[in-house]
Amino acid sequence: MTNLSPKFLAFRNHLLAAVYSRSYHRAVALHRPSGPPKLSPYDVNCILRANEHTQEFFSGSVKSYDSNQLASNSPIEDSRSEGSCVHTSGLLLGIFDGHGGPACSQVISKRLMRYIAASLVPPDDLRQHILNGAQSFSFLSCHNDKLEFVSEIKELYEKSFQQFANELTNTTLAGFQMHQTLETAFVRLDQDLSREAIEMPSLRTMSVAMSGAVALVAHIDGPHLHVASVGDCSAVLGTVTDTGQWMAKKLTNEHNSDNVGEVRRLLSEHPATERDTVIRGERLLGQLAPLRAMGDFRYKWTREQLEQLVVPQFGDQVIAPYYHTPPYLSACPEITHHILTPRDKFLIIASDGLWDTMSAMQTVHLVGEHMYGKAFLQPLTLPKNDVTLGEISQMLSTRKAGLQKKPLDRNASTHLIRNALGGTEYGVEHSKLSHMLSLPQDIVRLFRDDITITVVYFDSEYLRNCPT
């Protein structure tokens, strides 16, 4: 074992700790810390709001989105990315939950969105853009982008993108299928990550290859919503019924051992002699919780490749037990298409750090109430036309009743995180929230995971009038 082996051991310990995450979350839900809160309400607000972002739009089916994330791991292993397609009319939003370190999630959060954006451009137009010197970043106008690749790795990634883009120019517009386009972008990027590590092994390329990430990307163009998912991030649509009740529509399936169809798919891809070893202890080869992920090539490369490229740096234990017929892990996404209607009010996409603490229906109720109460955060404005004293009195009465539901946070994602960590049957409890935010770094991961959330609000009037 070389001196780099502690990295692998830390990765293994991280996976083992995750085995107990669900039971710990259930225990935390019942926990009531004693003594005075360690953080003041001001301190709590500063922590919760440090990474929040709101973006507004003035055309199309999306009015705005609220995004936020809260770290548990140090550094955080979740990533997020949002951007408007430059050469088409779509909006892309992604959540990426890393494991074994942040490298893979950070890299794919930028690169995958660019691969998809370029794939959506008609081949003839794409060819012209490439001839004019277009680079990968020019296909997507990013919002709240704070990550930049170092020059050495940026050149490598750009070369891979140009190869992919040139191949796209040889396709035909007549054969365009959105499902196939999204699938191709996911799989091709995963192949490029593998090839880059094999052909140009370095600390950077191998750190991406040996870590992994689950990914969820939503593409919204007019009334068309496509969600592509690999792993266990989730997307939930908040819809109002005819009777005015909130309904949660889940648009994704988790790719883990709880998904019977996913287990059957995986078992069918390997010999019957491996039926008892492919999934052990509810994990892939007894180690990995998601059954689909990007990166994680220690579950995809041949044994010979691992022995040549990985074992010299990380030791023999990098090869999982019963590793006979790779690949065991897929980066092929499951894709859902939904046509938006005026009753669809918002979309919630989030990493499993949120879903470990609350159900889809709970999140929809919280965002729905927040959406209604947020109107009362704005100053009261009177209509420009003449109004009577009686009408003003009615407006004031309505506002007084609404102020009781006024949320503490303007950002809906922050509102969800606050309730996820501090929520009780009687509302948010400050002492519980303070306790959850002040846990020591060496134990915090046992009580909560990284949480990353984006809430997308739809323009009902636009959806009422736009053709499908």
Side-chain angles (χ1 to χ4, degrees):
M1 187 185 303
T2 69
N3 58 2
L4 289 177
S5 60
K7 293 183 179 179
F8 174 74
L9 294 175
F11 169 64
R12 185 182 64 180
N13 291 339
H14 171 80
L15 290 177
L16 291 173
V19 173
Y20 305 101
S21 64
R22 291 185 181 178
S23 59
Y24 270 105
H25 282 301
R26 286 194 293 269
V28 169
L30 301 174
H31 179 66
R32 294 294 182 271
S34 59
K38 296 180 179 180
L39 300 173
S40 69
Y42 174 82
D43 296 329
V44 166
N45 289 340
C46 288
I47 294 171
L48 292 180
R49 296 170 181 171
N51 298 308
E52 65 181 12
H53 176 76
T54 296
Q55 188 75 34
E56 295 184 344
F57 302 93
F58 303 99
S59 62
S61 57
V62 175
K63 292 171 63 176
S64 64
Y65 71 78
D66 290 340
S67 182
N68 199 357
Q69 62 181 175
L70 179 71
S72 170
N73 295 290
S74 180
I76 187 171
E77 294 182 334
D78 281 8
S79 297
R80 56 181 167 165
S81 184
E82 310 91 33
S84 300
C85 297
V86 172
H87 303 296
T88 58
S89 55
L91 175 67
L92 286 165
L93 307 106
I95 300 288
F96 309 89
D97 185 352
H99 45 262
C104 187
S105 71
Q106 289 178 353
V107 167
I108 66 173
S109 70
K110 288 181 75 78
R111 296 182 68 186
L112 181 58
M113 309 294 262
R114 295 174 179 181
Y115 275 48
I116 295 173
S119 301
L120 298 173
V121 179
D124 290 343
D125 294 347
L126 180 59
R127 184 179 299 108
Q128 192 58 51
H129 290 308
I130 293 174
L131 289 174
N132 292 337
Q135 294 188 298
S136 60
F137 65 83
S138 64
F139 289 88
L140 194 71
S141 175
C142 292
H143 312 299
N144 192 38
D145 184 13
K146 298 178 181 178
L147 175 68
E148 188 61 51
F149 297 135
V150 297
S151 58
E152 169 201 342
I153 209 75
K154 184 188 296 185
E155 293 175 4
L156 174 62
Y157 293 164
E158 191 61 38
K159 181 179 178 182
S160 295
F161 174 86
Q162 292 295 332
Q163 290 174 348
F164 176 53
N166 278 311
E167 292 176 20
L168 290 173
T169 62
N170 296 322
T171 60
T172 60
L173 183 59
F176 178 84
Q177 294 287 336
M178 189 65 179
H179 280 63
Q180 186 60 51
T181 297
L182 290 170
E183 181 179 309
T184 299
F186 271 73
V187 173
R188 176 53 183 265
L189 175 57
D190 200 57
Q191 292 171 345
D192 284 349
L193 295 175
S194 173
R195 178 183 51 78
E196 291 158 1
I198 291 172
E199 294 180 359
M200 283 168 272
S202 68
L203 182 59
R204 287 193 172 92
T205 58
M206 289 302 291
S207 66
V208 174
M210 288 299 99
S211 60
V214 298
L216 185 152
V217 174
H219 177 266
I220 306 168
D221 189 0
H224 296 283
L225 166 63
H226 288 86
V227 177
S229 176
V230 167
D232 55 9
C233 294
S234 294
V236 173
L237 196 64
T239 301
V240 174
T241 66
D242 292 337
T243 58
Q245 302 298 309
W246 285 110
M247 181 177 70
K249 180 176 181 179
K250 200 168 181 185
L251 301 179
T252 51
N253 295 308
E254 290 83 14
H255 301 132
N256 55 33
S257 61
D258 293 331
N259 183 332
V260 176
E262 186 68 7
V263 171
R264 287 174 179 165
R265 175 197 66 80
L266 182 60
L267 292 177
S268 71
E269 296 174 355
H270 299 276
T273 54
E274 295 187 63
R275 186 173 185 85
D276 296 330
T277 59
V278 170
I279 297 178
R280 294 186 302 123
E282 300 185 346
R283 289 172 174 265
L284 181 70
L285 297 174
Q287 296 184 345
L288 192 66
L291 303 183
R292 300 193 201 188
M294 303 188 73
D296 283 318
F297 294 106
R298 58 190 297 257
Y299 304 110
K300 298 174 182 176
W301 285 345
T302 66
R303 177 177 285 271
E304 290 72 23
Q305 287 173 314
L306 291 175
E307 289 174 344
Q308 178 184 353
L309 296 168
V310 185
V311 170
Q313 288 189 336
F314 292 89
D316 291 332
Q317 61 269 61
V318 77
I319 302 178
Y322 307 104
Y323 195 80
H324 302 304
T325 57
Y328 290 92
L329 195 62
S330 171
C332 184
E334 187 173 354
I335 299 164
T336 302
H337 176 215
H338 176 82
I339 297 179
L340 296 167
T341 73
R343 294 197 180 281
D344 298 321
K345 301 303 180 182
F346 52 81
L347 173 72
I348 305 169
I349 59 175
S351 61
D352 65 348
L354 174 68
W355 310 113
D356 283 346
T357 64
M358 61 177 61
S359 68
M361 195 68 242
Q362 286 175 308
T363 63
V364 167
H365 274 299
L366 284 168
V367 174
E369 293 171 357
H370 180 271
M371 186 174 68
Y372 172 74
K374 191 165 62 171
F376 297 98
L377 291 172
Q378 306 298 327
L380 176 64
T381 56
L382 296 176
K384 293 182 179 179
N385 55 316
D386 294 337
V387 291
T388 66
L389 287 175
E391 290 171 333
I392 293 176
S393 176
Q394 180 61 43
M395 291 171 63
L396 291 173
S397 297
T398 301
R399 184 171 179 83
K400 182 179 179 180
L403 286 174
Q404 298 176 359
K405 297 184 177 181
K406 182 180 71 172
L408 188 60
D409 305 294
R410 290 180 178 271
N411 186 296
S413 293
T414 308
H415 181 65
L416 285 175
I417 295 174
R418 185 184 297 275
N419 280 271
L421 300 185
T424 70
E425 56 185 316
Y426 304 108
V428 175
E429 185 178 286
H430 172 70
S431 60
K432 180 182 176 184
L433 186 57
S434 170
H435 177 73
M436 292 296 289
L437 293 175
S438 56
L439 290 168
Q441 187 58 52
D442 57 343
I443 66 167
V444 62
R445 180 61 182 84
L446 301 177
F447 289 85
R448 60 179 177 87
D449 199 356
D450 296 334
I451 302 176
T452 301
I453 309 170
T454 299
V455 179
V456 187
Y457 293 101
F458 301 117
D459 188 329
S460 300
E461 194 61 31
Y462 176 93
L463 293 172
R464 188 172 289 111
N465 298 308
C466 77
T468 57

